[in-house]
Amino acid sequence: MPTGKTYEALRADVEKIPVIDTHEHFRGPDSQEAQKEPIKSVTSGYVHSDIMSAAGEEAAAMLQNGEIPTEKKWPVFQRAWAKMEHTAYARVTKLILKNEYGLEEISLEAMKGLAGRLLNLRDKKAFEAMMDRYGIRCCLANVWLDWKKFLSGEASLHERMRVLIGLPELHAVRTFEGVQRVAGYIGRKVTCLDEYAACLREFCTRMKARGAVGMKDQSAYGRIIAYESGGRAEAEKLFGFIMDDPRRSIGYPAGKPLDDWIFHELMRIARDLELPVQIHTGHMAGIRNDVTKTNAAHFRSVLELHRDVKFDLFHGNWPYAGDWLFLGKNYPNVALDCCWLHVIDPRYARRVLADAVSAVPHSKIHGFGGDYGALEFACGHLVIARDNIAAALAEMVDDGWIGMDEARQVAADWLFNNPNEFFTLGFEPVSV
Ligand SMILES: [Zn+2]
């Protein structure tokens, strides 16, 4: 924990600033998991990845099995925990235990004592009360829904959530079935690439009318985020290949020209509908993936070509901080988003935010997104995010670069005003 008078004063002020959370994976109370077994409950979310990395996938899977009793899991948990309890993912678990259950020490007795009194965030009142307690005014949600039901009004999100259009399934076209599934969201069938592009435009238009505030893409998990724009003929050929025979499929990287062309088409739709686009860059959830393909630097050509589209580059591009700061500084249509970052690597987050104060216009930073499926984990993350923001700004105040009042206003802009304006959410701006 950082210390010092400047930090202490700023930390207290940052606590009071309301938050627009730019990235979550829950719809509201109805998507919160009803937890029964305490170890499973407190080791879900990203901490699971650190357990896999330190203690192996078998141990991690056992801890996430809700059918195995706490007592039986305990020795496995204890051994795993001893190997990784100092990471920020584990710190979120500790914060949940402390702040939600009053537990400072983890013991078998303490864990067994949680059974029967685990948080029930499926309860709407409890869910909203927790959001209020942590000052979360609104969350942008990257969720998976039956979009046909969503568009017809049969399915919806909690009123504090704002939905995003998930892009990967729209452009990573592999099969005839995949194409028709997307077309089915608006009750159509598709026979050629032009019809598919028209479908995407209509789908996005209807999504915007139903409240979508942007688009979100996490294709970096499966492919390099370099998109070429000139491959219309090749794209058409690949599309025809799967249209001509529903039993065919295209793999990666063979399907990349089609994927790339549709992605650019989606950027034209984003421009016309004035929808900002969130892009996964940097570190990925889980283990054993290739991070080099996710560097935001690969996305440069899209940023330069689609100048009328606003892009929100995620996760601090971890571990490529310099590229991330460059893109935010250099391109007027780019914002830098710290979602997930505060618990991937808190010290990196502090450094990059302190650097950003003097390197990047402060209007271009989005300070927090939880990036969890469960609200209590997002709230634990928010505690660390507030620590990091206060620490980064305190460093710049102590360096004599900015004053205390300026630091407070920057914090309010990072946490609330910038995302409010960027995603045109329409809340009253916060001034401190
Ligand atoms: Zn995410």
Side-chain angles (χ1 to χ4, degrees), residues 51 54-55 59 62 73-84:
I51 293 173
M62 186 209 188
K73 278 180 186 172
W74 177 252
V76 175
F77 173 74
Q78 213 179 11
R79 273 197 303 276
W81 193 247
K83 292 177 181 186
M84 46 65 68

Side-chain angles (χ1 to χ4, degrees), residues 19 44 47 53 63 73 78 89 133 141 143 219 281 312 331 374 386 410:
V19 170
S44 22
V47 67
S53 175
L63 300 179
K73 278 180 186 172
Q78 213 179 11
Y89 291 167
R133 195 149 44 87
V143 291
S219 301
T281 71
D312 188 30
Y331 294 105
R386 291 189 202 267
V410 168

